Amino acid sequence: MSIKINKESIRHAPCYCEENIWHLAQRQEFAGYDPHAVFISNFQRIVHFEAQRICDGTHFMCWDYHVILIAEDSGEWFVFDPDSTLDFGCGLQEYLTASFPFGDRIAQAPLFRVIKAAEYTRSFSSDRRHMRKADGSFHASPPVWPVIQGAECSSFNLWDFVDMVNVGQGEVLDLVGLRERFTGMMSKP
């Protein structure tokens, strides 16, 4: 793989994956590699994940949503997930198998909203309201950088990306569809 990024050099704030990926998608190292932001959720907003750092990779985790970056290099797609225990830049097939070992055989099967990175960075905005408690404090410490406001959107629109029902940015695929489209594999793990 030609894409080389030191994981320690990226902007990362735990529990703010959409912002982490927004910043990552703009890195010069991805120029020419067709990067895409991928929102992972489902209709229930409960996705069973394995291989996440928050669980030290030893237990599963349920996220309401998660965001990763994928990029193509020499015909193969690679995943950049700062919250995964897998290699930063592991193959997409490896990531899908390790992160979703039950595939689509469980009620909380993942769905994927895939958006060109350039479109995502232009159109995403978040004032972090989704991370505030009723008293105004944060569920998790906010990032040190300013809130994100895309050039084409000035209001909070995170839920438009997480929503797997309504038509929106990019396209929504199930696990089999994502695997077929980006790895060429038609079979389930």
Side-chain angles (χ1 to χ4, degrees):
M1 177 178 67
S2 301
I3 306 168
K4 302 290 184 205
I5 298 177
N6 178 348
K7 189 175 181 177
E8 304 308 315
S9 74
I10 68 169
R11 287 185 169 189
H12 181 264
C15 301
Y16 291 85
C17 57
E18 66 281 356
E19 293 193 34
N20 298 333
I21 297 304
W22 188 86
H23 286 287
L24 183 62
Q26 297 178 68
R27 300 244 338 198
Q28 185 60 36
E29 292 93 336
F30 289 108
Y33 292 102
D34 196 20
H36 289 64
V38 180
F39 277 77
I40 306 167
S41 191
N42 58 25
F43 302 130
Q44 301 89 4
R45 289 194 183 166
I46 301 172
V47 181
H48 174 117
F49 269 86
E50 303 261 347
Q52 291 287 291
R53 286 188 340 187
I54 198 166
C55 298
D56 295 327
T58 59
H59 299 90
F60 76 90
M61 170 72 189
C62 285
W63 289 114
D64 52 346
Y65 69 92
H66 189 53
V67 189
I68 62 173
L69 187 82
I70 63 173
E72 188 269 337
D73 185 10
S74 302
E76 185 176 352
W77 288 88
F78 295 91
V79 175
F80 297 86
D81 180 357
D83 298 303
S84 176
T85 59
L86 301 171
D87 288 341
F88 194 61
C90 73
L92 178 59
Q93 180 58 33
E94 176 188 356
Y95 183 87
L96 295 176
T97 300
S99 298
F100 310 108
F102 299 111
D104 60 357
R105 298 182 302 272
I106 60 173
Q108 296 83 18
L111 293 171
F112 305 85
R113 182 175 295 278
V114 182
I115 310 142
K116 292 260 188 195
E119 182 179 345
Y120 176 56
T121 58
R122 282 192 316 267
S123 61
F124 175 74
S125 289
S126 175
D127 57 13
R128 302 179 183 147
R129 69 180 69 174
H130 65 295
M131 293 299 289
R132 292 208 180 258
K133 299 177 186 176
D135 67 3
S137 65
F138 284 96
H139 290 284
S141 296
V144 296
W145 56 80
V147 297
I148 293 174
Q149 185 171 8
E152 295 178 0
C153 183
S154 61
S155 61
F156 178 85
N157 66 353
L158 171 63
W159 302 132
D160 295 342
F161 292 91
V162 175
D163 184 347
M164 298 294 159
V165 176
N166 293 315
V167 175
Q169 306 268 349
E171 67 177 310
V172 175
L173 301 166
D174 63 12
L175 186 58
V176 172
L178 184 80
R179 186 175 279 117
E180 287 176 1
R181 170 132 182 249
F182 291 97
T183 71
M185 295 185 67
M186 299 181 81
S187 62
K188 297 176 186 174

